[in-house]
Amino acid sequence: MNEPNTATHNDLETNDTIIKIVGMHKWYGDFHVLQDVNLDVARGERIVICGPSGSGKSTLIRCINRLEEHQRGKIIVDSTELTNDLKNIEKIRAEVGMVFQHFNLFPHLTILENLTLGPIWVRKTPKREAEATAMAYLEKVHIAEQAKKYPGQLSGGQQQRVAIARSLCMKPNVMLFDEPTSALDPEMVKEVLDVMISLAREGMTMLVVTHEMGFAKSVAHRVLFMDYGRIVEENTPAEFFDNPQHDRTKLFLSQIL
Ligand code: ADP
Ligand code: MG
């Protein structure tokens, strides 16, 4: 966790943009929750999004795989624009994995079944192959020995690692994380962050909503700060933490650091 962050834009393999958001707005009824969001994410880039509660962080990342619909502007993922076209939505969801604060595992299915459900039913992967892939990812998150258990028999940290493995089984090109450690007891935060750090080291494109500033410092290429539905500041972690520009960012940092 405390290793120096050597991430720079130069270590990104390409300059190829995997997510492009242009002039995007979203309303919940009359409430203008996202206001003119513009963001380009390069393939392999790792972005941490922070900001006060209610600033629109979850809504923003939920728009990227259409768990929420935007009303104005464009969201383009790997050259496919998100519209109401179901084919496009399916294509984008196939590329974009998501991990939530509250794991969202199916309680009545075993860990292994949670991991193979999507590949078998959505991807039509043969069961044996889906299980082999699932076991490989469970090993990667150090939890293979729990494959036959049910989510309720695992700790929060273990369940979140299962949720990450479940997303990886769908072979995403981008992973979105929405406060993946905020529902965990403190002693379990590290085991989940370590899995995320190893994913980062493998070059996964990641957008992570988190207040874990140690994580941001060690793996992010960029930190975005949101307030009232806008990205108000973005910078490299070093600049962001040591030299915040906006008063709102300074206030936020003074409260969490
Ligand atoms: P954050 O993740 O930064 O805490 P959210 O994106 O969850 O912020 O929410 C941004 C704002 O939108 C908050 O004021 C929240 O109450 C509101 N909001 C979130 N979801 C809905 C919804 N489904 N309907 C109406 N308002 C919502
Ligand atoms: Mg949120």
Side-chain angles (χ1 to χ4, degrees), residues 52-59 61-62 101 178-179 209:
S53 176
S55 56
K57 305 178 299 294
S58 295
T59 305
I61 65 167
R62 290 168 66 86
Q101 184 174 353
D178 193 358
E179 301 206 33
V209 176

Side-chain angles (χ1 to χ4, degrees), residues 68-227:
E68 296 290 350
E69 197 176 323
H70 63 286
Q71 281 86 36
R72 238 165 79 190
K74 284 186 184 192
I75 301 178
I76 300 159
V77 181
D78 224 358
S79 312
T80 303
E81 183 175 350
L82 260 178
T83 60
N84 282 328
D85 183 333
L86 282 178
K87 276 227 151 41
N88 283 1
I89 295 175
E90 272 173 30
K91 183 162 179 280
I92 288 174
R93 287 204 181 138
E95 286 209 34
V96 180
M98 177 129 182
V99 173
F100 303 88
Q101 184 174 353
H102 299 285
F103 339 126
N104 298 2
L105 299 174
F106 293 109
H108 59 292
L109 298 180
T110 65
I111 299 309
L112 186 63
E113 287 163 347
N114 264 279
L115 266 68
T116 57
L117 192 69
I120 291 173
W121 295 100
V122 180
R123 293 289 162 75
K124 314 293 177 203
T125 308
K127 186 169 181 228
R128 198 181 284 248
E129 185 186 329
E131 287 183 348
T133 304
M135 288 309 299
Y137 281 113
L138 286 175
E139 295 207 353
K140 201 173 153 74
V141 302
H142 315 297
I143 211 157
E145 72 286 357
Q146 313 285 355
K148 293 278 162 24
K149 291 193 181 165
Y150 288 85
Q153 297 173 283
L154 271 55
S155 72
Q158 290 174 321
Q159 289 188 59
Q160 191 60 299
R161 287 187 279 143
V162 170
I164 294 172
R166 179 177 60 173
S167 263
L168 294 175
C169 282
M170 300 295 275
K171 306 278 167 78
N173 292 326
V174 179
M175 287 283 287
L176 309 176
F177 292 85
D178 193 358
E179 301 206 33
T181 59
S182 359
L184 301 176
D185 291 335
E187 70 272 21
M188 290 166 193
V189 169
K190 184 175 181 296
E191 67 191 46
V192 171
L193 291 179
D194 284 347
V195 165
M196 292 169 63
I197 290 168
S198 73
L199 206 54
R201 300 240 156 94
E202 288 164 17
M204 178 63 82
T205 308
M206 297 165 77
L207 267 78
V208 184
V209 176
T210 185
H211 292 165
E212 289 292 336
M213 294 301 135
F215 175 81
K217 285 181 181 167
S218 66
V219 307
H221 295 97
R222 263 197 289 171
V223 182
L224 309 184
F225 177 74
M226 288 187 72
D227 203 13

Side-chain angles (χ1 to χ4, degrees), residues 225 233 240-257:
F225 177 74
E233 181 159 351
F240 182 83
F241 292 108
D242 296 343
N243 190 17
Q245 300 296 308
H246 289 262
D247 288 343
R248 290 188 232 160
T249 316
K250 290 177 194 165
L251 176 66
F252 175 78
L253 290 174
S254 72
Q255 287 162 343
I256 62 158
L257 291 178

